[in-house]
Amino acid sequence: METVTNRRRQGGRGRRVGGSQVPQLPWQGVTNPYPPMEVLSAEQLESIHRTSMRILEELGIEMMSPRALALFKAAGADVDMATRTVRLDRGLVEQALKSVPSSFVLTPRNPERRVIMGGNHVNFGLVAGPPNVHDCERGRRAGNYQDYCDFIRLAQYFNAIHLIGNQVCAPVELPATTRHLDTYRANLVYSDRVFHCTAIGAGRALDGIRMMAIARELSLEGIAEGPGVITIISVNSPRRFDESMAEGLMARAAHGQAVVITPFTLMGAMAPVSLAAALAQQNAEALCGVVLTQLVRAGAPVMYGAFTSNVDMRSGAPAFGTPENAKANIASGQLARRYGLPYRTSNASASNAADAQAAYETQMSLWGAILGGGNLVYHAAGWQEGGLTASFEKFVLDVEMLQLMMEFLKPIVVNEEELGFEAIKGVPTGGHFFGEPHTMERYEHAFYRPLLSNWQNYENWQIAGGKDATHRATDIWKQALAEYQEPPMDRGVREALDAYVAQRRAEIGSGEP
């Protein structure tokens, strides 16, 4: 059982770490000690499973990669080569699930920053994929390499971020065929975290694997035994794996790296309007991808990914942080656990600004992710405008919410010291506990110290400038970048990375998609 002494020795809550002037929690593995919430009964869960099996057996999934079609055919699936449709019987699904690890470890170049996917472990990832970037001083602009690198520096600075997502903002000024090399290098040089490699084709997937192997001074065989990068395979819902995604999946699985199968099932658009139907379709698509990973390499690490939400039925625009989205996050966790798979979910909102809407929609998504037993909360910090923009201010707001959740997940300590009977006995009725030894021993680390929240009274808040949370967030990300320190890297490793990037840039030319 955790003791008060041990908690104080570990540095307490919201302390300054590593010389930082920004109060934040120390780097730590996060676990969820509470039983996951269940919004589906056992019979409802099985009904969704059975419907998913019917989708796989009767309707099938379009698989646009000839190599993938050949693998399914060799495994005994019903493959229609003319329509590129794969129909899987439930026996093939069950056989594949037997070889899937229920948890796995991802190790970056700094082994102290390793993360565990599975069980009750929770990991928070940086926003991934937006074409645009925004902050309150410079406004909204196209993604670019300088902003990309600054986001990686912020991810390194803030301990609540365990994993870097795929291209936090697209550096659009760089050639599309080779920009992944620049972003992988930035991930490795400016941070020591696990990172996501793009899986648009085998080439990009392999580049990420090889560059992490160089950073860890391993061979490809060595990194296959201890994976260090992860990718998201986005299913082109409804029921289609495009060729690039399938090729990326197979390249990753063949080298023992982690793959997350994530259908993009927006109810009313890419999936039926009812939640039960959307979950059944999501489940069928995810299981098809899981089977493919195991056909490539039995035992390859794979996660069950969920991204089910709804659209605005008046405009067709995606909506996030809705009640339906939160319930889908929780129900998807039940499905993942039914199959013994680690679970990826998301932390998203549809707000166009780092405002109250962004906060309450994000909080709704985050609670759904945590209550659903999520192991990887993707897009956990910086997501704005439905994923079209990476926001510096939203990043800081999100880190505050993540730290609040991390503290919430710490169990309540109940022992003789914490029960404080002598402290209660020592204070007369109507008195106060400010000066009591029990208080004085604990006051510095008794409660969470906020990163962003302001608890001044109104008059003092006005004297200090009267800034709201969004404007305070601007000050914080600027301060964090000023304090950032690049993690050390061996000179030989850095030279090897640069040589690899130069070699691949010359090889790729315009010959890859």
Side-chain angles (χ1 to χ4, degrees):
M1 181 177 293
E2 182 188 24
T3 66
V4 178
T5 302
N6 284 339
R7 194 171 67 231
R8 288 203 300 271
R9 185 179 300 124
Q10 292 167 359
R13 298 169 174 160
R15 71 185 182 101
R16 296 176 179 179
V17 296
S20 164
Q21 296 303 303
V22 175
Q24 64 165 312
L25 298 178
W27 172 272
Q28 58 194 280
V30 180
T31 55
N32 184 350
Y34 308 113
M37 184 177 179
E38 296 186 350
V39 293
L40 299 171
S41 69
E43 177 52 35
Q44 288 175 324
L45 191 68
E46 289 309 298
S47 292
I48 291 171
H49 166 74
R50 288 192 293 269
T51 302
S52 299
M53 292 303 104
R54 287 193 64 195
I55 292 171
L56 290 174
E57 291 175 337
E58 299 175 28
L59 306 180
I61 306 290
E62 183 181 3
M63 190 67 60
M64 300 180 73
S65 162
R67 287 205 310 131
L69 289 171
L71 277 173
F72 278 113
K73 188 173 182 65
D78 178 6
V79 177
D80 185 329
M81 299 300 289
T83 61
R84 299 176 297 193
T85 300
V86 175
R87 293 179 177 84
L88 307 176
D89 67 64
R90 62 198 66 198
L92 188 55
V93 174
E94 291 168 0
Q95 183 62 35
L97 288 170
K98 291 178 181 178
S99 61
V100 174
S102 59
S103 67
F104 56 87
V105 176
L106 293 174
T107 305
R109 70 178 180 91
N110 179 359
E112 294 181 2
R113 297 293 181 260
R114 71 178 194 137
V115 296
I116 302 172
M117 298 293 178
N120 67 346
H121 295 273
V122 183
N123 302 282
F124 299 120
L126 186 62
V127 62
N132 304 301
V133 63
H134 177 274
D135 67 68
C136 288
E137 293 188 339
R138 294 168 290 181
R140 186 177 186 268
R141 54 199 179 275
N144 59 86
Y145 185 67
Q146 180 59 51
D147 284 324
Y148 182 95
C149 294
D150 280 345
F151 269 109
I152 303 306
R153 293 181 179 104
L154 289 174
Q156 175 69 18
Y157 181 94
F158 284 102
N159 295 314
I161 307 302
H162 301 103
L163 179 143
I164 293 171
N166 175 40
Q167 293 198 9
V168 58
C169 64
V172 296
E173 78 275 27
L174 302 178
T177 54
T178 58
R179 68 173 62 137
H180 66 283
L181 299 169
D182 300 282
T183 59
Y184 294 165
R185 182 187 179 279
N187 295 345
L188 287 164
V189 170
Y190 301 127
S191 86
D192 58 6
R193 306 286 200 266
V194 167
F195 68 89
H196 169 129
C197 300
T198 182
I200 303 175
R204 290 180 174 89
L206 287 170
D207 283 333
I209 298 169
R210 288 169 177 151
M211 289 175 72
M212 179 60 86
I214 291 169
R216 290 174 57 189
E217 300 183 85
L218 295 173
S219 65
L220 282 179
E221 293 74 21
I223 199 170
E225 297 302 316
V229 285
I230 194 167
T231 198
I232 307 291
I233 301 299
S234 297
V235 182
N236 191 357
S237 304
R239 297 186 296 117
R240 171 183 286 168
F241 282 75
D242 67 39
E243 184 172 9
S244 293
M245 283 282 110
E247 290 293 327
L249 180 156
M250 291 185 289
R252 304 274 307 181
H255 290 84
Q257 302 305 297
V259 172
V260 186
I261 314 297
T262 307
F264 189 35
T265 39
L266 289 179
M267 291 178 281
M270 285 84 82
V273 74
S274 60
L275 184 51
L279 289 170
Q281 179 186 311
Q282 169 195 281
N283 197 48
E285 293 172 354
L287 289 175
C288 181
V290 169
V291 171
L292 181 55
T293 66
Q294 301 309 293
L295 294 181
V296 172
R297 183 184 180 121
V302 61
M303 298 186 78
Y304 185 106
F307 204 69
T308 292
S309 192
N310 56 289
V311 298
D312 179 352
M313 295 305 293
R314 293 169 295 180
S315 68
F320 302 101
T322 64
E324 295 80 11
N325 177 217
K327 286 190 284 188
N329 283 347
I330 296 169
S332 297
Q334 288 184 255
L335 287 162
R337 290 189 296 279
R338 187 204 181 281
Y339 304 116
L341 294 167
Y343 172 42
R344 170 260 163 133
T345 179
S346 292
N347 186 23
S349 93
S351 179
N352 294 312
D355 59 2
Q357 178 186 337
Y360 64 69
E361 288 181 348
T362 297
Q363 193 73 267
M364 193 77 171
S365 292
L366 183 57
W367 274 112
I370 296 300
L371 293 174
N375 302 120
L376 170 57
V377 182
Y378 208 61
H379 305 301
W383 170 289
Q384 189 165 286
E385 199 186 333
L388 293 177
T389 294
S391 163
F392 282 88
E393 281 77 23
K394 181 61 162 44
F395 173 91
V396 175
L397 267 67
D398 289 339
V399 169
E400 179 80 291
M401 285 187 271
L402 299 181
Q403 291 196 148
L404 289 166
M405 188 60 73
M406 289 162 67
E407 283 297 303
F408 171 81
L409 291 175
K410 292 181 179 178
I412 298 172
V413 178
V414 179
N415 56 29
E416 287 302 313
E417 287 185 325
E418 290 295 282
L419 286 167
F421 179 82
E422 292 302 319
I424 297 169
K425 177 181 176 181
V427 174
T429 56
H432 64 76
F433 290 84
F434 286 118
E436 274 299 297
H438 186 271
T439 302
M440 299 304 291
E441 291 171 2
R442 294 163 173 77
Y443 81 93
E444 187 176 359
H445 305 300
F447 308 121
Y448 170 73
R449 180 184 174 188
L451 165 71
L452 179 64
S453 296
N454 184 296
W455 293 343
Q456 294 174 301
N457 61 35
Y458 184 79
E459 290 75 19
N460 287 331
W461 172 71
Q462 278 191 315
I463 291 169
K467 294 182 178 181
D468 63 17
T470 304
H471 288 90
R472 293 195 299 275
T474 302
D475 295 338
I476 289 171
W477 69 255
K478 290 173 67 177
Q479 181 180 348
L481 286 179
E483 293 180 2
Y484 162 85
Q485 294 182 352
E486 187 176 301
M489 175 181 280
D490 179 82
R491 181 177 177 180
V493 169
R494 189 163 185 153
E495 289 175 350
L497 280 173
D498 290 343
Y500 181 85
V501 169
Q503 174 192 335
R504 285 290 291 142
R505 203 188 306 277
E507 290 173 352
I508 290 172
S510 59
E512 291 189 17

